[in-house]
Amino acid sequence: MQRLLMLLLTVLAGVLPSAANAWWQPDWQYRKQITVDSTAQGLPLGGPAGRTPLLVRLHTGNFTFDGINEKGADIRFVAADDQTVLNHQLESFDPLLGMALVWVDVPELADGQRQDIWMYYGNQKAPASANGQLSFDPNYTLVYHFDGAAGAPPRDTTAYSNHGQTPTGAAVDGVIGRAAQFTGNAPLMLPASPSLAIPAAGAFTFSAWVRADQPAGEQLVYARRDAGNALLIGINQGVPFVEVNGQRSQPGQPLTPAAWQHLAVTADGSQVHLYVNGRATASLAASLPPLATPAALGGDVPMPAASAASATPATPATNSATSANSANSANTATGAASADAAAPAAAPRPVYAPFVGAMDEVRLSKVARPAALIHADAASQGAESRLVAYGADEEQSGFGFGGLGFLLKAVPIDAWIIIGVLVLMMVQSWIIMFKKSRNVARVAAANEVFRDSFATVGQRLELLADDNALAQRLANASLWRLYRVAINEIRTRRAQGADTTSISAATIEAIRASMDAVRTKENLALGSKLGSLSNAIAGGPYIGLLGTVLGIMVVFLGTAMAGDVNINAIAPGMAAALLATAMGLFVAIPALFGYNRLVSRNKEVSADMRVFVDEFITRLAEVHGETQAQEAAHHTAPRAAAPGHPAMREAQPAPAHA
């Protein structure tokens, strides 16, 4: 039985810490599980995305903002190995409003896998460690979150510091925090830094969230021109296009007016691909020309003053790819590009309408990003993301039971009452099992010692009765107590003058009755308090079920009163309610095993006592019992005197004199 209890304790000590991953560092009191799911149940990517800046969007629906530093300085992201700390950047953090946007550098985002990330918080003394320069890989040459002050040039998050050269318009709500508003005025100019330069047939990626408020005409979202070379990304009557030196992509999927959509362009040296909402919609067999001049967002690059005075502007209609075979081909985009290449200062340039709308999360890269990454960005950065799933907040309990600590915190007072009753039953049953197990083990061991000693008695049945040292050793032996009562019965009769060398059958049965009485008391002692274990077995699950029913009633009642079904609000209460049933089973299952084990051991001891009583009585009859002749004399002597009634009368007073 002791081995069973030790096994249960060992299993409990091993299962609970393993159920919750090891705590990263004890100074952080809380953590939150974040799962990146690229399986069929989450968001299949169609291929490896590689190193990815993952957006973690926290709000009151998935995060409590309790115990965290007011500026989010104590936030840390740790990989599933509980060792690798991931770089992150706080784009915005407002615990009062209950909103936060965090970029986490995921080293490898594979397809068809689930990987966990732990967000630790709750260390008020922790220094800030957020760093945007480390959160985005070095191939990102420009990243604008538009999270700065309104009217100020946007700041580049990357280490290249490619900050905006001109201020943006008014700030509006974007897909991710704040966004830049474009009202059709001057474009946002980007610097002509070496990190943004594109070599001939170089790789390039542009991505942004775009909201086209007035998609009529031809508008440029991104433009870059250098000595007659041009890379243009825009929309034509709401249909996105990419144009390289006058060669334009075929029309693809149109943009929905006044709605946020993800737009991306990649170039790998031979092909240019256009993506809308993470899906490739058009491609162009072309390589990028060398570009090292300033670029523009939300419009075309301004022409130099000398070129503007001498150039004859062309309309956007003459610049379209469909008018390449018209009679005025010299004014088309292809002809204009050729003229610019020959004489950049005098070549006419088509005029595009300014972009009217908003942009958010603009990124430039010096590599061609894989299609899986474009798809992941478009699908995970919006308000609804199937790629990222948020688990419950866990509190460090001090024993490595992080998840259990959070669960216990969510238990209401009524469930605590039920759990308290079950804990008392559990403690009582375990104490009973421990004590009864030790007792029956001592009795069985002492009985074995007595058996070894009694085997040497032979016909001297009283040989062991006066051995005080043996009596101390056999204090726990039930067989010793049966032996002592039988010897006491014999010696009592001897002290009263009876002849114990020849004991009648009636006397032997009397001695057996005395031994049976002691055996019954021993059995009662062995089975005492086992009824409490029966109550724990039968009543524990029902009491736990009562707590679960009450807990679920409270959860659904609160949900009905709130009028909002939120799994993050319901889950803790449901889990706490189920904890009562689990606690009831945890009381009943060990009690069941312990009860069966004790009953089995008690039966063994009881059988041993019954066998000893039979053995002792048989040996007593053999050594001190009357012979057949003596027994016959007992039965025939009174019958011989029966015909003579006076003899019988004379024999009657004898017992009175005795």
Side-chain angles (χ1 to χ4, degrees):
M1 186 63 202
Q2 295 181 13
R3 294 179 179 178
L4 177 61
L5 292 177
M6 292 300 297
L7 178 62
L8 289 174
L9 291 175
T10 303
V11 171
L12 179 64
V15 168
L16 289 179
S18 61
N21 291 45
W23 210 263
W24 170 55
Q25 287 189 11
D27 295 338
W28 273 259
Q29 292 298 115
Y30 307 94
R31 72 178 182 181
K32 185 179 188 64
Q33 184 180 17
I34 300 174
T35 302
V36 184
D37 187 2
S38 60
T39 64
Q41 290 73 28
L43 179 68
L45 301 178
R51 184 175 176 182
T52 304
L54 183 70
L55 176 62
V56 174
R57 189 186 296 266
L58 303 176
H59 50 79
T60 54
N62 60 23
F63 188 55
T64 60
F65 288 92
D66 292 336
I68 196 169
N69 186 283
E70 61 180 7
K71 296 183 179 180
D74 55 345
I75 292 179
R76 300 292 187 273
F77 291 90
V78 182
D81 60 1
D82 291 312
Q83 296 179 355
T84 306
V85 179
L86 307 179
N87 298 317
H88 73 282
Q89 180 196 14
L90 291 175
E91 179 175 337
S92 64
F93 185 83
D94 192 340
L96 296 179
L97 295 179
M99 295 185 65
L101 298 172
V102 189
W103 296 98
V104 182
D105 182 17
V106 178
E108 182 64 31
L109 180 57
D111 186 32
Q113 295 183 3
R114 290 172 59 94
Q115 56 178 310
D116 292 331
I117 299 173
W118 294 95
M119 185 184 80
Y120 285 83
Y121 61 98
N123 182 3
Q124 299 298 327
K125 298 181 181 180
S129 64
N131 191 331
Q133 296 182 0
L134 299 177
S135 301
F136 292 84
D137 68 66
N139 290 322
Y140 284 103
T141 55
L142 181 147
V143 175
Y144 287 168
H145 297 315
F146 299 107
D147 55 347
R155 304 286 296 177
D156 180 19
T157 293
T158 70
Y160 299 104
S161 300
N162 289 315
H163 309 306
Q165 302 300 294
T166 56
T168 59
V172 296
D173 290 334
V175 177
I176 310 167
R178 306 298 288 169
Q181 178 72 51
F182 293 85
T183 58
N185 297 324
L188 171 61
M189 297 304 299
L190 309 182
S193 66
S195 59
L196 294 178
I198 302 175
F204 170 79
T205 299
F206 167 87
S207 66
W209 285 93
V210 176
R211 190 190 70 194
D213 295 337
Q214 299 177 11
E218 287 191 334
Q219 303 177 18
L220 291 183
V221 175
Y222 174 84
R224 194 168 193 182
R225 299 178 183 272
D226 186 0
N229 297 318
L231 171 61
L232 307 177
I233 302 172
I235 55 176
N236 181 12
Q237 303 299 329
V239 179
F241 69 86
V242 57
E243 183 177 306
V244 178
N245 284 350
Q247 185 180 359
R248 181 175 293 190
S249 61
Q250 295 297 320
Q253 177 184 345
L255 299 179
T256 303
W260 284 105
Q261 289 155 101
H262 192 265
L263 183 65
V265 173
T266 63
D268 58 9
S270 60
Q271 291 283 333
V272 179
H273 298 279
L274 176 66
Y275 297 84
V276 176
N277 293 329
R279 302 297 182 183
T281 60
S283 61
L284 189 64
S287 59
L288 296 184
L291 299 169
T293 54
L297 285 177
D300 203 350
V301 179
M303 294 180 60
S307 300
S310 59
T312 302
T315 63
T318 61
N319 184 53
S320 65
T322 58
S323 62
N325 297 325
S326 65
N328 297 324
S329 58
N331 292 328
T332 61
T334 305
S338 301
D340 285 344
R349 193 173 75 179
V351 177
Y352 293 90
F355 175 73
V356 179
M359 292 190 203
D360 192 7
E361 195 61 27
V362 175
R363 298 181 185 177
L364 298 180
S365 301
K366 58 183 179 180
V367 296
R369 297 292 178 179
L373 178 58
I374 302 296
H375 179 49
D377 288 344
S380 65
Q381 294 175 6
E384 299 294 334
S385 173
R386 293 186 294 117
L387 181 63
V388 182
Y390 299 91
D393 294 77
E394 301 178 3
E395 181 178 0
Q396 184 180 192
S397 63
F399 299 96
F401 307 155
L404 182 60
F406 174 79
L407 181 62
L408 295 178
K409 188 177 180 181
V411 176
I413 184 63
D414 53 344
W416 273 123
I417 296 175
I418 300 297
I419 293 176
V421 173
L422 292 173
V423 168
L424 292 177
M425 293 179 63
M426 181 188 69
V427 172
Q428 180 190 33
S429 62
W430 284 38
I431 291 175
I432 291 174
M433 287 188 293
F434 181 75
K435 288 185 175 180
K436 300 298 292 183
S437 176
R438 292 191 61 187
N439 179 66
V440 72
R442 288 195 296 262
V443 171
N447 285 345
E448 289 294 330
V449 175
F450 175 80
R451 278 288 189 186
D452 294 339
S453 300
F454 188 75
T456 63
V457 169
Q459 295 185 352
R460 295 177 296 174
L461 296 180
E462 301 182 35
L463 178 64
L464 305 178
D466 299 323
D467 191 342
N468 294 328
L470 182 63
Q472 293 180 358
R473 293 174 55 196
L474 300 177
N476 295 317
S478 59
L479 300 184
W480 170 255
R481 288 185 284 272
L482 293 175
Y483 172 77
R484 288 292 300 270
V485 71
I487 298 302
N488 288 338
E489 289 289 333
I490 296 174
R491 290 183 173 181
T492 300
R493 284 169 172 75
R494 183 184 299 150
Q496 293 176 354
D499 184 8
T500 57
T501 59
S502 179
I503 301 177
S504 65
T507 303
I508 291 176
E509 288 301 319
I511 296 174
R512 177 191 286 274
S514 298
M515 297 181 71
D516 285 340
V518 174
R519 182 166 67 89
T520 301
K521 292 181 181 179
E522 291 291 334
N523 287 330
L524 291 175
L526 290 174
S528 65
K529 297 183 180 180
L530 291 184
S532 298
L533 295 184
S534 298
N535 292 335
I537 296 169
Y542 285 102
I543 296 175
L545 183 60
L546 173 63
T548 297
V549 172
L550 294 177
I552 293 177
M553 290 172 57
V554 171
V555 169
F556 282 115
L557 179 62
T559 303
M561 294 177 64
D564 181 23
V565 179
N566 189 330
I567 186 63
N568 294 301
I570 295 176
M574 297 289 287
L578 293 173
L579 181 63
T581 297
M583 192 64 191
L585 294 175
F586 189 72
V587 171
I589 292 174
L592 175 63
F593 291 142
Y595 177 84
N596 291 336
R597 178 62 175 168
L598 289 174
V599 169
S600 177
R601 295 291 301 277
N602 290 348
K603 288 182 178 179
E604 293 175 0
V605 175
S606 179
D608 198 16
M609 291 189 295
R610 184 177 64 252
V611 170
F612 175 74
V613 170
D614 293 340
E615 179 183 356
F616 185 87
I617 292 299
T618 301
R619 191 174 298 187
L620 178 64
E622 176 189 4
V623 176
H624 298 285
E626 293 180 335
T627 63
Q628 293 182 355
Q630 291 173 331
E631 290 182 2
H634 273 298
H635 293 292
T636 58
R639 292 179 182 178
H645 294 285
M648 181 177 267
R649 294 191 192 98
E650 293 176 358
Q652 290 178 352
H657 293 293

